[in-house]
Amino acid sequence: MMEGMSEQATATKPGPASTQCPPSTPHGEAWGALARTHAAISQRLQDALAQADMPPLPWYEVLATVAEAPEQRLRMGDLAEALVITRGGLTKLVDRLVKAGLLERTFCASDRRVSYATLLPAGVEMLLEMRPVIVGELDLAFSANISVAKANQLRDTLDSLRSGACRGVL
Amino acid sequence: MMEGMSEQATATKPGPASTQCPPSTPHGEAWGALARTHAAISQRLQDALAQADMPPLPWYEVLATVAEAPEQRLRMGDLAEALVITRGGLTKLVDRLVKAGLLERTFCASDRRVSYATLLPAGVEMLLEMRPVIVGELDLAFSANISVAKANQLRDTLDSLRSGACRGVL
DNA sequence: GAAGATTGAATATTCAATCTTA
DNA sequence: TAAGATTGAATATTCAATCTTC
């Protein structure tokens, strides 16, 4: 380690000048705000869950997504798409929830290629335990700073943004 | 593997009924939209960079953040905070950029505990190559779906949301 | 051959412990 | 002792290859 070193190095150069680097297009700024806000709130939620000795945030997202699905089950591919993670990643994530007894794999009789992630009673319980922590933390993060009307407006804007960003996420 | 299996299992149960699980509080929905939109656009950006044979998105974020800093350098701790990742994680991320010749570590003379991530000329070049890809993809994602005014409004809402979500992110 | 899902190797990220300097 | 940063172990995620079923 310790590869590049020099006391003040290029530091005191006034900067290449050609590189006054503000990406300050409106879209760039909006994206920056989106990324930072997502990271910050994610962090808050993870901390709240950890402090309550609960599973990590992705587990909640899996449980919540499956719980909303028709039969409380979801095809692996659809679940991966809803969570916007790779299929391979989802397989292993679900493996962990199965090992924890929260989920079960079931199979489709008509098309034996597809498998479902299916919610188990223990998963429902866990979801009901985690939800207040999540909702409470979100309320803390949101209520203090924006109105309910603004929250709804935010949701709408984000939804319309996503409808073109990725066809058919949900 | 193959732990839990059963043909139709709990699938056909109408659902515990007690668990009509919509987290449908306005804040919950806004957060869901935020998370999904972030993931979807992130994915788009990563794909665009990969298709152009360029470094991954986190590299861009590091370069862009350092480029905006006063002397085109940033203390490791501040950079980690700006990117909302752990210090340890940042150390290794910067290691990769240093090994690629894009960044250099410089040190503070007055307080020898602090080290800076400092932009190198090659890093500037890389940033200038990557930016059009990012900006172009963002324009595609945004322009098609929301107005510039809405983008600005989105940024404002997100910023005010973050000011309380995590004091002093930037 | 193509779709759905899983696996193994490689990569990236976190957490806790350590090291150095103030 | 505390602040700043780094390291090693453990964990999580991706990518490409594989396996099964349509």
Side-chain angles (χ1 to χ4, degrees):
Chain A
M1 299 307 132
M2 299 286 94
E3 322 225 353
M5 56 181 65
S6 63
E7 261 313 314
Q8 287 287 71
T10 61
T12 46
K13 279 196 318 187
S18 64
T19 318
Q20 281 311 66
C21 283
S24 297
T25 147
H27 298 153
E29 295 211 356
W31 165 245
L34 178 55
R36 281 189 293 269
T37 305
H38 175 262
I41 296 184
S42 252
Q43 194 59 62
R44 270 187 80 135
L45 296 179
Q46 308 241 39
D47 289 350
L49 289 173
Q51 197 161 4
D53 266 304
M54 287 180 181
L57 187 54
W59 287 37
Y60 174 77
E61 287 163 355
V62 169
L63 292 174
T65 304
V66 174
E68 286 181 47
E71 304 277 347
Q72 302 209 316
R73 65 176 185 174
L74 215 45
R75 293 160 54 128
M76 293 298 284
D78 293 342
L79 185 51
E81 192 176 8
L83 300 177
V84 199
I85 60 175
T86 61
R87 278 181 152 76
L90 179 66
T91 294
K92 294 171 187 181
L93 179 52
V94 167
D95 278 346
R96 281 170 250 150
L97 297 230
V98 168
K99 188 173 309 185
L102 305 178
L103 245 48
E104 159 184 72
R105 266 177 229 275
T106 56
F107 302 92
C108 180
S110 56
D111 185 343
R112 315 219 337 209
R113 289 174 302 179
V114 325
S115 71
Y116 297 96
T118 303
L119 203 55
L120 285 178
V124 175
E125 277 184 55
M126 178 61 75
L127 178 57
L128 293 178
E129 273 185 69
M130 296 179 83
R131 190 189 301 286
V133 176
I134 297 292
V135 171
E137 198 62 28
L138 285 178
D139 280 348
L140 278 175
F142 278 74
S143 296
N145 297 296
I146 68 176
S147 67
V148 168
K150 268 210 176 289
N152 283 322
Q153 173 192 314
L154 176 61
R155 169 178 52 75
D156 289 341
T157 301
L158 290 168
D159 281 343
S160 64
L161 189 50
R162 194 170 65 259
S163 40
C166 182
R167 54 270 143 216
V169 159
L170 197 125
Chain B
M1 299 308 129
M2 298 287 95
E3 323 225 353
M5 57 182 64
S6 62
E7 263 311 316
Q8 287 286 71
T10 61
T12 44
K13 281 196 315 187
S18 64
T19 317
Q20 282 311 64
C21 282
S24 297
T25 147
H27 298 152
E29 295 211 356
W31 166 245
L34 178 54
R36 281 188 293 268
T37 305
H38 175 262
I41 297 184
S42 253
Q43 194 58 61
R44 269 186 81 133
L45 296 178
Q46 307 242 38
D47 289 349
L49 289 173
Q51 197 161 4
D53 264 306
M54 288 182 182
L57 186 56
W59 288 36
Y60 174 78
E61 287 164 354
V62 168
L63 293 174
T65 304
V66 174
E68 286 181 46
E71 306 276 346
Q72 303 209 318
R73 65 177 184 172
L74 214 45
R75 293 158 54 127
M76 294 296 286
D78 293 343
L79 185 51
E81 192 175 8
L83 302 176
V84 199
I85 60 175
T86 62
R87 278 177 152 78
L90 178 66
T91 292
K92 294 171 187 180
L93 178 54
V94 166
D95 280 346
R96 282 169 250 149
L97 298 233
V98 167
K99 189 173 307 185
L102 305 178
L103 244 48
E104 157 184 74
R105 267 179 228 273
T106 55
F107 301 93
C108 180
S110 55
D111 184 345
R112 315 216 340 209
R113 290 173 302 181
V114 326
S115 72
Y116 296 97
T118 303
L119 202 57
L120 285 178
V124 175
E125 277 184 56
M126 179 59 77
L127 178 57
L128 293 177
E129 274 185 69
M130 296 179 85
R131 190 189 301 288
V133 177
I134 297 293
V135 171
E137 198 62 29
L138 284 178
D139 280 347
L140 279 175
F142 278 73
S143 296
N145 298 296
I146 69 176
S147 67
V148 168
K150 268 210 176 290
N152 283 322
Q153 172 193 315
L154 175 62
R155 169 177 53 75
D156 289 341
T157 301
L158 290 168
D159 281 343
S160 63
L161 188 50
R162 194 169 67 260
S163 38
C166 181
R167 53 273 144 216
V169 160
L170 197 124

